[in-house]
Amino acid sequence: MEIDQPSASDSNVSDINTSSSNVTATTTPTPADNLGESVARTSEEQELYPIAVLVDELKNEDVQLRLNAIRNLSTIAMALGPQRTRDELIPFLNESIDDEDEILLAVAEELANFSEYVGGPEYAHYLLSPLENLASVEEVLVRDKAVESINRIVSLLNPSQITHYFIPLLKRLSSAEWFTGRISACGLYAAGYSKCTEEQQNELRTAFAQLIQDDTPMVKRAAAKALANFSKELNQQHLISHILPLFLRLINDDQDTVRLLTVEDLVQIAKMLSPEESKQYLLAPLKSLGQDRSWRVRYMVATHFNELCEAFGEQITREEMVTLFVSLIKDSEGEVKILSIGQAPTFAKKIDQSIVIEKILPCIKELVIDTNQHVRAAVATNISGLAPILSKDLTIEYLLPLFLQLLKDDFPDVRLNIISKLENVNQVIGVDRLSQSLLPAIVDLAEDKQWRVRLAIIEYIPLLASQLGVGFFDEKLLNLCLSWLGDAVFSIRDAATTNLKKLVEIFGHDWANNTVLPQVMEMAHNNNYLYRMTTLFALTTMATSLTSDIIKDKVLSTVTELVDDPIPNVRFNVAKSLEVLAPILKQDPTTAELVDTKVMDVLKKLAQDKDVDVRWFADKALLSVQGN
């Protein structure tokens, strides 16, 4: 009667489990003989202890404990040493881990950097076996991490290890009965190809071709995704003879999820071929993908359109790509149009200006009135990028009417996008022309019901002011800027105070003293406490751009007048304002005494306020002023 012999891996697991129980027994002594057993503990038991602890923790019901055990694999491996790590730990991981996906993912991640613990690169192939098992599980994240780890280990292997360990692993995965193994195999071909002999490389190309023709759509998708990286490893002859037929097979696949992945493959292959070869082999497939029946495939072409232009070269781009771009920007699907619009400014730089005017601008003009508001928003974002390409006169002729039309759009994001990008247009046509054409629309938008649109206008005002000059600004925009201080939305009021500070920096403190400050100070007497608080915010924000004399004569008196305001929020903002004003006054010897008299007196008064918040801010300001 024959008796089955246990495998090496079974005996390893058995030895480890036995060791675990032995160590557990010998490491729980009674108090009476505790000292004796500590002395008698053998060196063998000490060696077994780390792996025994690992076994115990990996069997624990708590997932977090098991995860911690995996995260500490490197520590355990260091305790065991390279030989025992190879002989015991790796087989144990290979056979014993049948756990939750989180644990398996951690194992796959840890093994990527484990070569030093098994004895260095010459023993790195020991790690392939457990990773091969992980590369076949159902969970995608675990498989992807296992493939990533195998690729890192393959980079350490020598040709002999490639031949005896990696190639057999790749063959097993490529011919695996269950599709998960074949999916993982697709991501491994590129890593080891350069280290293989010519005969082995032929075998790999043949095996990869079989994966591309696999009956399972998921495997074909994985092969299509891996094709670009695999192509990088081939020479031009093999690329044309082996990869191109496979690529053409994929672009005609029934599954659109396979076809859309071929767009990235096409970019990579085109980079490796000459412009003439790209035109001969790839132009027709590209046009086919650009007119694919699935909008997802066309979307991918639009996404990578400028990359494709660079890969094909300038001449083919000018001669052949314009028609394809026009078809994409006129696509029936909004998502494709939006992506194409985003590519328009960059593409326009690659073709002649006359072609932009004849072919691209008519499409843009149609999109300005597109029924899809998101398409119009995309036009608003990108249309200004065409201005530097068209020059001043053509921008005024073709683009300005479109800007005005977009500024009147019903959808707030369209108006917001066109405003935020006006700087590009301003650099081309100049602020005079821009202000004449767009200023009425900007003034209208300053009162837009959407506060984000008003906010965008505020942020654009300093740039406009610096180029319009003080006379034009005072006449056309000053009242508008001051009106924002009374806006119902705090973000607008806050932005308006920052805006005033920037205007003071542009036009000077004399302009502020004569023009802005009188109107801001008048708000301090408004019945609405929000106006009084805004006065404090505005004066405090502008203070750093004003002289100490102006602060003494205008600002300080206005701030201190509000010390007896009936609203606590106003009073504690007085304290916050004085905390900012004090250091500025101290810098000038002629105003420094005001800090010790007027400022300190007001703060001390606020420190005795009945409201706890007012007292807190007053105390904080006192400490700050006294510290300075």
Side-chain angles (χ1 to χ4, degrees):
M1 179 177 176
E2 294 185 1
I3 300 175
D4 292 337
Q5 295 298 320
S7 65
S9 57
D10 290 338
S11 61
N12 277 320
V13 176
S14 175
D15 291 345
I16 290 168
N17 288 329
T18 305
S19 301
S20 173
S21 59
N22 289 341
V23 172
T24 304
T26 56
T27 54
T28 14
T30 61
D33 56 4
N34 190 24
L35 180 61
E37 288 206 10
S38 296
V39 174
R41 183 178 297 160
T42 63
S43 60
E44 182 183 357
E45 290 169 342
Q46 290 174 343
E47 290 176 1
L48 289 171
Y49 186 72
I51 198 81
V53 171
L54 173 64
V55 173
D56 288 341
E57 290 191 352
L58 286 175
K59 290 179 179 178
N60 198 292
E61 292 183 3
D62 188 341
V63 175
Q64 190 58 47
L65 277 178
R66 299 204 302 276
L67 189 60
N68 290 342
I70 297 301
R71 294 296 184 199
N72 289 324
L73 276 180
S74 57
T75 305
I76 294 166
M78 288 176 66
L80 289 173
Q83 183 68 47
R84 292 190 62 203
T85 297
R86 297 195 300 269
D87 295 345
E88 298 175 35
L89 181 57
I90 298 301
F92 172 70
L93 292 175
N94 200 23
E95 297 292 334
S96 301
I97 293 196
D98 182 14
D99 211 322
E100 297 184 25
D101 294 334
E102 188 180 6
I103 306 296
L104 299 180
L105 181 63
V107 173
E109 190 174 351
E110 288 294 319
L111 290 178
N113 303 306
F114 223 68
S115 60
E116 62 178 294
Y117 303 115
V118 294
E122 61 185 299
Y123 295 102
H125 59 272
Y126 276 82
L127 302 171
L128 294 177
S129 182
L131 286 170
E132 179 182 355
N133 292 338
L134 293 172
S136 300
V137 301
E138 289 198 24
E139 173 53 44
V140 177
L141 290 175
V142 177
R143 289 204 311 269
D144 289 349
K145 184 57 70 174
V147 168
E148 181 185 329
S149 297
I150 291 174
N151 283 333
R152 291 187 65 174
I153 290 165
V154 167
S155 67
L156 304 173
L157 301 182
N158 58 43
S160 174
Q161 291 170 307
I162 292 286
T163 300
H164 291 97
Y165 300 102
F166 175 66
I167 297 293
L169 174 150
L170 192 53
K171 288 180 178 178
R172 287 193 297 273
L173 288 175
S174 298
S175 58
E177 185 176 351
W178 191 238
F179 72 92
T180 54
R182 303 200 298 278
I183 288 176
S184 294
C186 295
L188 298 174
Y189 277 81
Y193 185 84
S194 61
K195 294 190 173 186
C196 293
T197 63
E198 187 174 342
E199 182 181 350
Q200 289 170 339
Q201 288 179 347
N202 290 334
E203 291 179 4
L204 291 186
R205 291 195 299 273
T206 303
F208 191 81
Q210 291 173 348
L211 291 172
I212 283 181
Q213 301 171 61
D214 198 278
D215 294 332
T216 308
M218 288 84 81
V219 177
K220 280 194 287 189
R221 280 203 297 272
K225 190 175 181 180
L227 183 61
N229 283 334
F230 189 47
S231 300
K232 295 177 185 177
E233 303 297 325
L234 305 183
N235 59 40
Q236 200 169 35
Q237 179 186 349
H238 289 147
L239 186 68
I240 294 172
S241 61
H242 288 82
I243 294 300
L244 275 178
L246 302 177
F247 169 74
L248 294 174
R249 186 184 183 94
L250 288 172
I251 68 168
N252 293 312
D253 195 87
D254 293 336
Q255 298 278 333
D256 65 346
T257 53
V258 174
R259 297 198 303 275
L260 66 86
L261 291 168
T262 61
V263 177
E264 292 184 10
D265 298 335
L266 196 153
V267 173
Q268 181 56 45
I269 295 171
K271 287 178 180 177
M272 299 176 66
L273 299 179
S274 67
E276 293 76 18
E277 290 170 327
S278 293
K279 185 175 182 179
Q280 179 182 350
Y281 295 113
L282 299 178
L283 189 59
L286 173 59
K287 290 180 177 179
S288 173
L289 290 169
Q291 298 169 355
D292 195 275
R293 61 185 181 274
S294 169
W295 72 267
R296 291 181 180 86
V297 178
R298 303 195 302 274
Y299 180 90
M300 285 298 289
V301 174
T303 302
H304 296 280
F305 192 82
N306 282 317
E307 287 182 71
L308 288 163
C309 291
E310 290 176 9
F312 275 86
E314 292 181 9
Q315 185 175 349
I316 296 175
T317 297
R318 290 197 194 97
E319 295 174 358
E320 305 286 349
M321 302 294 262
V322 176
T323 305
L324 177 58
F325 184 78
V326 169
S327 70
L328 290 170
I329 208 168
K330 288 183 171 182
D331 198 273
S332 57
E333 282 292 330
E335 286 82 356
V336 179
K337 285 192 278 194
I338 289 168
L339 255 296
S340 302
I341 293 162
Q343 304 279 337
T346 305
F347 178 62
K349 294 176 184 176
K350 302 178 188 296
I351 58 178
D352 296 334
Q353 189 184 74
S354 59
I355 301 296
V356 175
I357 295 169
E358 292 171 17
K359 301 287 187 181
I360 307 301
L361 284 181
C363 300
I364 299 291
K365 191 173 181 179
E366 290 177 15
L367 294 174
V368 167
I369 54 173
D370 195 275
T371 54
N372 187 328
Q373 61 192 24
H374 300 292
V375 171
R376 301 198 304 275
V379 174
T381 299
N382 293 284
I383 190 172
S384 62
L386 296 173
I389 299 164
L390 292 180
S391 75
K392 180 177 180 179
D393 293 338
L394 293 174
T395 297
I396 293 170
E397 182 180 351
Y398 291 103
L399 294 186
L400 265 185
L402 301 181
F403 293 148
L404 290 169
Q405 195 167 352
L406 290 166
L407 281 170
K408 296 173 184 176
D409 196 282
D410 293 333
F411 188 47
D413 282 7
V414 176
R415 305 193 297 271
L416 182 64
N417 290 350
I418 198 71
I419 294 161
S420 60
K421 299 291 183 178
L422 280 178
E423 188 175 353
N424 291 337
V425 185
N426 178 47
Q427 291 173 357
V428 175
I429 67 174
V431 72
D432 291 339
R433 185 63 192 233
L434 185 65
S435 61
Q436 290 171 22
S437 305
L438 301 182
L439 196 59
I442 288 174
V443 172
D444 289 342
L445 289 173
E447 299 172 355
D448 195 279
K449 61 183 179 181
Q450 291 288 336
W451 69 268
R452 287 183 178 85
V453 176
R454 301 199 299 276
L455 184 63
I457 290 288
I458 293 173
E459 291 171 349
Y460 183 65
I461 287 294
L463 174 65
L464 203 58
S466 63
Q467 295 160 340
L468 288 173
V470 65
F472 187 91
F473 180 85
D474 286 351
E475 182 184 349
K476 301 289 186 181
L477 294 175
L478 178 60
N479 290 332
L480 185 64
C481 292
L482 293 171
S483 70
W484 284 321
L485 292 171
D487 197 278
V489 178
F490 172 77
S491 295
I492 300 297
R493 299 197 300 272
D494 185 52
T497 61
T498 305
N499 178 50
L500 287 178
K501 177 181 183 296
K502 291 177 180 177
L503 292 173
V504 173
E505 291 170 355
I506 294 168
F507 295 142
H509 50 76
D510 288 336
W511 171 82
N513 189 32
N514 299 324
T515 309
V516 176
L517 284 179
Q519 299 190 56
V520 173
M521 290 161 57
E522 190 177 335
M523 292 170 58
H525 305 105
N526 195 289
N527 291 331
N528 189 329
Y529 84 97
L530 290 175
Y531 282 82
R532 303 197 296 276
M533 285 182 63
T534 303
T535 300
L536 292 171
F537 294 152
L539 293 176
T540 305
T541 304
M542 286 191 291
T544 53
S545 300
L546 301 173
T547 64
S548 55
D549 287 335
I550 294 175
I551 293 175
K552 172 189 171 184
D553 297 336
K554 297 279 184 75
V555 177
L556 187 60
S557 58
T558 305
V559 172
T560 54
E561 281 175 10
L562 295 171
V563 70
D564 295 317
D565 196 278
I567 305 297
N569 287 36
V570 176
R571 297 200 300 276
F572 73 62
N573 273 290
V574 170
K576 290 169 71 174
S577 296
L578 292 174
E579 186 177 355
V580 174
L581 298 177
I584 301 171
L585 292 169
K586 275 188 174 182
Q587 290 173 3
D588 189 339
T590 60
T591 57
E593 61 177 340
L594 287 172
V595 176
D596 296 327
T597 55
K598 196 170 185 178
V599 172
M600 291 297 289
D601 290 345
V602 172
L603 289 176
K604 287 175 181 177
K605 181 177 181 179
L606 290 171
Q608 305 298 320
D609 197 276
K610 60 184 178 182
D611 187 272
V612 63
D613 290 329
V614 176
R615 294 198 302 273
W616 190 88
F617 281 106
D619 289 339
K620 178 177 177 292
L622 278 169
L623 287 172
S624 175
V625 172
Q626 290 168 347
N628 292 330

